Amino acid sequence: MLLFRLFSKLPLEVLFIFSDLLYLLAYYVLGYRKKIVLSNIKHAFPEKSDNEVKSIARKFYRNFTDSMAETVKLLTMSEKELSRRFVAKNTNLVFDKVDIGEIVIGMCGHFFNWEGHLVAVSSKISSKCETVYTKLSQPFFEKVMKSIRCRFGAMLTERKSFQRAFLRQRNQPRLIVLAADQRPNLSDIRYWTEFMNRETAFFEGGEKLAKKFNCRVIYAHTSKPKRGHYIFEYQEIALPPYTDDSPHSITDKFIFHLENNIRDCPSLYLWSHNRWKQKKPSLVN
């Protein structure tokens, strides 16, 4: 851990040199999950030529390895540099509401660099930021990621224990961050709908929580104006009361925002994740 922290103290510009080398290795030598990446992009953008798909893939791998360098740097990055590199817009939709006693649910997608976004937000509201996450299987990296995510006092709650934890803290105002585009477990109740031209399963924990406890829901539209710099623009997805809301209404709005974000910035999305591994039961032979 000490060596990792010392490595983190290198300037980000130096860490980007390692990112460049990793990019060449991952894309051109090892072809890390290249078949999955190309297939996912092709399905999502059937109108694009093979050259356009490959161009998005190359940019994706660059963003992917850059995010690794940036995440290492997050362990020691100053608050001033965080504020400069990870810029949040319309923060009044979150910070002001938490300050007046509300619970706000942030439904997020896997866009680079989501770790920097989390740390930057938690540096502003500290323990009033809670992230629901899936525990890593490798103990060392679990320890590292906890150190990064919690360095400004943010709370981490494992997904499997979140419901019980929420009931204990249901009166505590805070931002709850959910990675709402994750593939549900086979044991989860799933909502199937079209996402990026394929039938896709979604976990609806965020929608159920919002409707049951009358929480507002926001989305952060992600963009990357230049290397090492990100903008997260908060947008309202849904507001209470939800007395007449139809089923899946919040999830459908999240998917709408998520797809628009992907189409605006396709190379920022996590295409290496085998998101469409599961098939809708009725389609299984």
Side-chain angles (χ1 to χ4, degrees):
M1 188 66 175
L2 177 60
L3 289 175
F4 196 91
R5 186 173 291 275
L6 290 173
F7 192 60
S8 174
K9 287 184 176 294
L10 292 172
L12 191 54
E13 288 71 22
V14 175
L15 293 176
F16 278 151
I17 296 174
F18 292 96
S19 171
D20 290 339
L21 295 174
L22 279 175
Y23 159 70
L24 294 173
L25 185 64
Y27 186 78
Y28 290 103
V29 180
L30 298 178
Y32 172 72
R33 295 199 173 188
K34 197 171 183 179
K35 185 176 180 180
I36 292 174
V37 169
L38 292 171
S39 175
N40 283 344
I41 297 173
K42 186 65 178 176
H43 275 91
F45 301 100
E47 74 281 2
K48 293 189 181 297
S49 67
D50 287 345
N51 284 338
E52 288 174 316
V53 168
K54 289 178 182 177
S55 176
I56 293 172
R58 285 193 294 271
K59 292 175 184 176
F60 157 76
Y61 278 96
R62 280 203 170 275
N63 288 323
F64 183 50
T65 57
D66 273 4
S67 75
M68 292 181 180
E70 291 157 356
T71 301
V72 169
K73 185 62 184 174
L74 288 173
L75 190 61
T76 57
M77 186 180 288
S78 69
E79 291 187 56
K80 183 178 179 180
E81 188 173 2
L82 271 171
S83 297
R84 182 170 60 87
R85 292 187 178 278
F86 301 94
V87 177
K89 294 186 175 182
N90 301 331
T91 56
N92 60 295
L93 298 178
V94 177
F95 299 167
D96 290 358
K97 305 307 177 184
V98 170
D99 284 344
I100 64 173
E102 290 189 24
I103 292 176
V104 179
I105 297 174
M107 294 178 68
C108 302
H110 279 85
F111 291 92
F112 303 121
N113 185 332
W114 64 84
E115 297 291 354
H117 181 200
L118 172 63
V119 176
V121 170
S122 67
S123 72
K124 304 297 184 185
I125 59 176
S126 187
S127 60
K128 293 181 180 179
C129 179
E130 177 181 10
T131 301
V132 182
Y133 82 111
T134 301
K135 187 175 182 179
L136 299 177
S137 58
Q138 216 291 333
F140 173 76
F141 288 109
E142 170 71 6
K143 182 179 179 181
V144 170
M145 294 313 299
K146 273 190 173 182
S147 297
I148 291 171
R149 291 167 176 171
C150 299
R151 60 176 292 217
F152 292 107
M155 298 180 288
L156 281 183
T157 305
E158 282 192 65
R159 181 179 162 188
K160 63 183 179 181
S161 60
F162 173 65
Q163 287 186 345
R164 293 192 303 273
F166 179 84
L167 290 174
R168 291 195 301 269
Q169 303 176 75
R170 60 184 177 273
N171 296 319
Q172 180 179 336
R174 63 198 186 279
L175 168 66
I176 299 176
V177 182
L178 302 173
D181 64 337
Q182 283 188 330
R183 186 180 67 223
N185 296 324
L186 292 173
S187 58
D188 291 329
I189 298 174
R190 288 161 285 170
Y191 166 49
W192 288 91
T193 189
E194 185 169 299
F195 168 57
M196 299 308 295
N197 300 310
R198 285 199 270 186
E199 285 287 328
T200 310
F202 283 86
F203 179 68
E204 291 197 284
E207 172 155 344
K208 293 175 182 177
L209 185 68
K211 289 181 174 179
K212 185 173 183 179
F213 294 96
N214 282 318
C215 303
R216 71 178 62 232
V217 183
I218 60 104
Y219 176 83
H221 187 282
T222 304
S223 58
K224 186 179 182 179
K226 61 181 180 179
R227 193 177 197 184
H229 294 262
Y230 299 83
I231 296 174
F232 308 96
E233 186 172 355
Y234 297 152
Q235 304 166 348
E236 288 181 337
I237 292 180
L239 300 173
Y242 301 110
T243 52
D244 298 321
D245 247 0
S246 59
H248 319 302
S249 60
I250 296 177
T251 306
D252 285 339
K253 289 175 184 176
F254 164 71
I255 294 169
F256 173 79
H257 284 275
L258 182 66
E259 284 199 333
N260 283 343
N261 202 160
I262 291 172
R263 296 187 190 284
D264 286 346
C265 309
S267 64
L268 290 183
Y269 195 62
L270 187 63
W271 297 112
S272 57
H273 176 45
N274 199 358
R275 181 66 176 86
W276 290 275
K277 181 179 181 180
Q278 295 178 8
K279 303 298 180 184
K280 193 173 182 179
S282 61
L283 300 179
V284 176
N285 295 327

